[in-house]
Amino acid sequence: MNCISQVDRPDSTLFNGDCVEVIAGLPENSVDYSIFSPPFSSLYTYSNSPRDMGNSRTDAEFFEHFDHLVRELARVIKPGHNVSFHCMQLPTSKERDGYIGLKDFRGDLIKAFQKHGFIYASEVCIWKDPVTAMQRTKALGLLHKTIRSNATMSRQGIADYLVTMRKPGEVMDKVEHDDLPVDEWQRLASPVWMDINPNDTLQFRSAREHDDERHICPLQLDVIRRGIRLWTKPGDVVLTPFLGIGSEAYCAVEMGRKAVGVELKKSYFDQAVKNLDALAAQHDMFATA
Ligand SMILES: C[S@@+](CC[C@H](N)C(=O)[O-])C[C@H]1O[C@@H](n2cnc3c(N)ncnc32)[C@H](O)[C@@H]1O
């Protein structure tokens, strides 16, 4: 296994390595839930490593690489348990794709899981402010001047999604929530989450490396907490193949689950370890207060 290093704690195991290789070393049917935000095809490159799934020349190359991960997930997830991935539809560009429009990245990810037998089980749309997106990306379709001058080129903002795929089979250790009141359930069951704060993320600045760093976009903690809340129970193993700076592992540990995470890039991995250290320090402080 090409794992550079590993940090073990009673409540987490974090690997600095390639997720396909690390997960291939995990036992079959050993993971209760997986939640992650994959590289968005070739939209952002995180490092110049050929193992970086964001370092793909084409979408086909990304999905060829991603397929190896889904195969391993299909092996390690327990029957009847879920995998949730965060994604968005991807804007195309005239230079790269020859046209301005959208690619059905969400649909392609769903198909990648269906190919390995997963059931498309659930999804929630996460609202994003089109004004913020317009200010950040200056996308032609979002500009007010486009609606005034060439309206057929205008478009809606692009939402985020949390898509959940279920491994077929009978659940052996059921997740039963006696403590989830009906009003909370109704909020979680909403097909659109309007109340996710885009800035509710772990801090990442110190994870930035010079020229090979392009982008890290930590997943909002509340999105992760809701997935973990719905589909796991305390003590369950929560796996994230794309640990980044540790958001999914952080929420898993905070909620009394056991986190397993893999990150390729050393600077992000180190930041993830620091974020989990900070959480452990907080726990210790409360325990001694
Ligand atoms: C969208 S980011 C994940 C961010 C994470 N959800 C967080 O909140 O910090 C995707 C991550 O996948 C990592 N990555 C790309 N290819 C990988 C691979 N083969 N194995 C492990 N990590 C990989 C990138 O370095 C990047 O940190």
Side-chain angles (χ1 to χ4, degrees):
M1 189 190 299
N2 186 32
C3 173
I4 307 159
S5 65
Q6 177 174 335
V7 174
D8 269 310
R9 292 210 185 88
D11 53 12
S12 62
T13 304
L14 305 184
F15 299 91
N16 180 204
D18 181 330
C19 60
V20 176
E21 290 176 349
V22 171
I23 296 172
L26 301 182
E28 198 177 331
N29 300 335
S30 61
V31 171
D32 296 281
Y33 180 54
S34 180
I35 180 165
F36 61 86
S37 185
F40 290 170
S41 191
S42 50
L43 194 63
Y44 308 117
T45 305
Y46 297 95
S47 65
N48 50 20
S49 163
R51 293 170 189 277
D52 175 1
M53 290 204 201
N55 189 12
S56 306
R57 271 166 306 181
T58 60
D59 294 336
E61 199 175 288
F62 168 81
F63 278 103
E64 200 185 315
H65 199 164
F66 189 71
D67 182 70
H68 295 288
L69 168 64
V70 184
R71 184 193 63 224
E72 291 308 325
L73 286 174
R75 194 180 60 76
V76 298
I77 295 284
K78 292 181 181 173
H81 285 243
N82 292 327
V83 175
S84 299
F85 60 80
H86 161 261
C87 68
M88 59 184 258
Q89 301 294 52
L90 299 180
T92 61
S93 76
K94 200 146 194 163
E95 302 73 58
R96 219 169 55 162
D97 309 280
Y99 65 98
I100 295 178
L102 295 178
K103 281 187 283 194
D104 185 16
F105 183 56
R106 172 171 127 275
D108 289 340
L109 288 168
I110 293 167
K111 288 190 201 103
F113 276 86
Q114 285 174 323
K115 186 179 156 206
H116 288 275
F118 280 91
I119 294 160
Y120 177 25
S122 185
E123 72 177 10
V124 58
C125 176
I126 299 165
W127 183 82
K128 280 202 318 212
D129 186 352
V131 179
T132 311
M134 178 275 291
Q135 286 162 344
R136 220 190 50 239
T137 63
K138 303 279 180 277
L140 182 78
L142 291 176
L143 298 178
H144 187 236
K145 74 171 187 204
T146 305
I147 203 85
R148 291 171 9 147
S149 59
N150 192 8
T152 58
M153 288 302 288
S154 60
R155 65 161 171 83
Q156 275 86 22
I158 302 176
D160 280 353
Y161 293 88
L162 187 73
V163 177
T164 298
M165 309 295 298
R166 191 173 61 244
K167 176 167 161 177
E170 202 190 328
V171 194
M172 301 310 284
D173 47 349
K174 284 201 179 133
V175 178
E176 294 168 332
H177 291 307
D178 299 339
D179 61 335
L180 205 152
V182 73
D183 56 333
E184 186 186 356
W185 162 235
Q186 285 168 353
R187 270 201 315 277
L188 293 175
S190 170
V192 184
W193 290 343
M194 298 293 295
D195 56 344
I196 297 297
N197 173 358
N199 302 319
D200 171 32
T201 56
L202 290 180
Q203 111 103 312
F204 61 88
R205 251 172 226 103
S206 51
R208 293 193 161 212
E209 272 177 3
H210 33 88
D211 50 341
D212 69 339
E213 193 278 350
R214 302 279 188 279
H215 189 92
I216 177 107
C217 192
L219 186 51
Q220 285 81 20
L221 299 175
D222 213 22
V223 172
I224 303 166
R225 287 188 190 118
R226 290 178 195 197
I228 293 176
R229 174 87 171 114
L230 277 169
W231 292 305
T232 70
K233 57 184 182 318
D236 276 0
V237 174
V238 176
L239 166 70
T240 181
F242 303 108
L243 177 69
I245 60 164
S247 316
E248 291 86 348
Y250 183 96
C251 293
V253 170
E254 181 193 55
M255 295 171 74
R257 279 65 170 166
K258 163 104 203 262
V260 178
V262 195
E263 172 55 45
L264 188 65
K265 189 169 163 131
K266 176 83 167 75
S267 59
Y268 293 164
F269 173 79
D270 289 344
Q271 185 63 41
V273 173
K274 278 190 200 151
N275 284 332
L276 285 165
D277 282 345
L279 181 64
Q282 259 178 44
H283 279 178
D284 291 349
M285 217 166 74
F286 281 118
T288 51

